[in-house]
Amino acid sequence: MKYETKMATILSITFGIAFFDRNAVNFLVPFIAPDLGLSNTQIGFLSSALSLTWAISGYALGALSDATGRRKIFLLAAIFIFSCCSFLSGLATSFMMLLVARLIMGISEGPMMPVSHAMIVTEVSPKRRGLYMGFVQNFGSNLLGSFAAPLVLVALAEMFNWRIAFFISGVPGLIAAFFIWKYIREPGAQKALFPKKNQAEEATDKPKKMNTFQLFRYRNIVLCGLISILSVSYLVIAWAFMPIFFVQARGFEPTTMSWLMSTLGISATVCAFLVPGLSDRFGRKPILVLFSLVGVVCPLGALYFQGPVIILAAFLFIGWALNGTFPVFMATVPAETLPPGYVATVMGLIMAIGEIIGGFSGPAIAGWAADQFGLSAPLLIQTGCAIGSGLLALGLKESAPIKVGSPAPNPA
């Protein structure tokens, strides 16, 4: 197996384990809420809290990783801490204790994706960048975090209790840390994939130092940040409220809910290859527009389709293809827009914008709307987010090498 493929596989599975832990509270909330007496607003804040600290640490530690040139140590520290937070979540006896565990988990998981993408940019050819970035960000996270998580966690909660489910979900992270320590090298240790440049070329390519505000001189960075806000809101609202919507509003059994939610994981696992791969071939912009708008099928199907559950699952599968756009607007387009020395910084920034504004405020607003207007309100908000993402994508400047002829950064 080529090193780049082995590295991408380990990084993808590790990020999947992180998402398994992140999503655990959402799939277990039908069991946690009665036990701890949680309101819909508190349920929303549990997702918002993790998104907030995830965003702050993703940008801050991603920038620190760029500044130091170190990647591997950040990943190892993150994995160990978030695994411990899963155990802490299982010990929670109140809303506040569970909230603190989620806050710490967000801090630890935040830098994982910016750092992982920075490693991909260093080790993988630009012609395969979209495919590999999509694989790292979406394959493991959706296979484990969206498909396996509802099935495994709900089964454990019904067999034992929700605390045992948290305890068990913390173990795989420690195993992933071992594989990263043993099989992944510090990026840049070997650069056989790319030819060496002479001193004149290196001097020409060396980017001028930019601060955070100067990054927003690039139109694509502004638009990707806005798309990130809406798309992260779309996903986090679905994770936080769709399970409880299916159980309480639609009257499905928890087992049926878990299978419906796992359908989202199957869809996103497929789209981890499909959407970024299509963007490598047809361009980033048209694929972002198309699959963002397809996202309306998921919440509208959950709200209004009253037929067989298997057909409802098909609607969820189709609509959740929006998930495949995440590595494109959050990683690939920013990486093709800015000089390589800012890869982890700008990815952390786009993620931070989405998580702070969309991931934090989205479920909080949706939780308030659910308390005021019923559990259908969050899904209507989710629909609006998908439409907004598609419209914003229309304004992007194409950056795919197959379209622009070069992976060089776009002008401001």
Side-chain angles (χ1 to χ4, degrees):
M1 180 185 294
K2 290 184 178 180
Y3 173 74
E4 62 186 54
T5 303
K6 179 172 68 176
M7 176 193 68
T9 301
I10 294 174
L11 292 177
S12 184
I13 296 301
T14 301
F15 193 56
I17 293 169
F19 251 70
F20 188 99
D21 287 347
R22 173 175 179 164
N23 289 345
V25 73
N26 300 315
F27 300 125
L28 294 173
V29 77
F31 304 93
I32 300 172
D35 194 8
L36 300 185
L38 303 181
S39 67
N40 287 321
T41 301
Q42 288 175 320
I43 292 171
F45 271 115
L46 286 174
S47 293
S48 298
L50 187 144
S51 294
L52 178 63
T53 53
W54 177 300
I56 295 171
S57 71
Y59 174 62
L61 297 179
L64 182 60
S65 174
D66 275 341
T68 61
R70 303 291 298 276
R71 312 295 187 191
K72 188 172 177 178
I73 188 65
F74 285 90
L75 287 178
L76 290 173
I79 298 165
F80 178 77
I81 296 172
F82 81 65
S83 296
C84 293
C85 287
S86 184
F87 292 107
L88 183 61
S89 298
L91 297 174
T93 56
S94 66
F95 166 72
M96 188 55 63
M97 187 173 177
L98 187 57
L99 181 66
V100 170
R102 307 303 289 176
L103 287 168
I104 300 173
M105 180 175 283
I107 294 173
S108 65
E109 292 182 350
M112 290 189 64
M113 191 42 50
V115 171
S116 295
H117 280 315
M119 298 171 87
I120 293 296
V121 169
T122 302
E123 302 285 351
V124 176
S125 168
K127 292 183 179 180
R128 298 191 298 275
R129 181 180 291 153
L131 179 62
Y132 272 80
M133 284 182 162
F135 176 71
V136 169
Q137 182 164 342
N138 272 3
F139 180 76
S141 64
N142 291 293
L143 179 65
L144 299 178
S146 297
F147 172 66
L151 299 177
V152 174
L153 292 168
V154 171
L156 288 172
E158 290 185 321
M159 187 179 302
F160 303 105
N161 57 58
W162 61 268
R163 298 182 188 279
I164 295 296
F166 273 122
F167 295 151
I168 294 176
S169 66
V171 175
L174 302 177
I175 299 173
F178 169 78
F179 277 89
I180 287 178
W181 170 77
K182 185 169 180 62
Y183 295 109
I184 292 184
R185 63 179 180 239
E186 187 67 49
Q190 297 180 18
K191 296 185 178 179
L193 181 62
F194 304 108
K196 291 185 177 180
K197 299 180 179 181
N198 59 41
Q199 292 183 349
E201 289 175 323
E202 288 179 347
T204 302
D205 290 346
K206 188 176 181 180
K208 295 181 179 179
K209 186 174 179 60
M210 291 186 288
N211 59 38
T212 302
F213 295 103
Q214 289 175 313
L215 299 178
F216 290 108
R217 293 166 52 196
Y218 295 81
R219 184 176 74 193
N220 277 3
I221 303 304
V222 175
L223 289 172
C224 285
L226 295 174
I227 293 170
S228 182
I229 293 171
L230 295 178
S231 297
V232 171
S233 292
Y234 177 98
L235 260 67
V236 177
I237 289 171
W239 290 329
F241 292 99
M242 200 168 279
I244 201 166
F245 172 82
F246 283 139
V247 173
Q248 293 188 4
R250 294 296 302 268
F252 293 141
E253 294 294 326
T255 303
T256 303
M257 175 274 290
S258 70
W259 278 105
L260 285 172
M261 294 303 296
S262 71
T263 302
L264 305 184
I266 299 173
S267 171
T269 303
V270 172
C271 291
F273 299 97
L274 176 65
V275 178
L278 289 174
S279 78
D280 279 340
R281 183 169 182 178
F282 298 106
R284 317 300 183 199
K285 180 177 176 177
I287 296 303
L288 278 172
V289 172
L290 173 63
F291 284 95
S292 293
L293 295 177
V294 166
V296 304
V297 175
C298 177
L300 292 182
L303 278 169
Y304 300 117
F305 182 75
Q306 300 296 325
V309 173
I310 189 66
I311 299 179
L312 174 57
F315 282 122
L316 299 181
F317 181 93
I318 294 169
W320 203 248
L322 179 145
N323 189 276
T325 66
F326 268 65
V328 181
F329 70 76
M330 197 172 276
T332 310
V333 172
E336 293 169 341
T337 300
L338 290 175
Y342 294 91
V343 172
T345 302
V346 72
M347 292 177 191
L349 178 63
I350 299 299
M351 185 184 72
I353 292 170
E355 292 283 358
I356 290 176
I357 303 177
F360 178 76
S361 64
I365 293 171
W368 174 84
D371 282 333
Q372 298 297 316
F373 307 107
L375 284 170
S376 61
L379 275 68
L380 292 173
I381 295 173
Q382 190 184 351
T383 303
C385 290
I387 295 172
S389 295
L391 295 178
L392 286 169
L394 289 170
L396 287 171
K397 184 168 184 177
E398 186 58 68
S399 63
I402 196 170
K403 291 290 185 179
V404 301
S406 170
N410 290 331

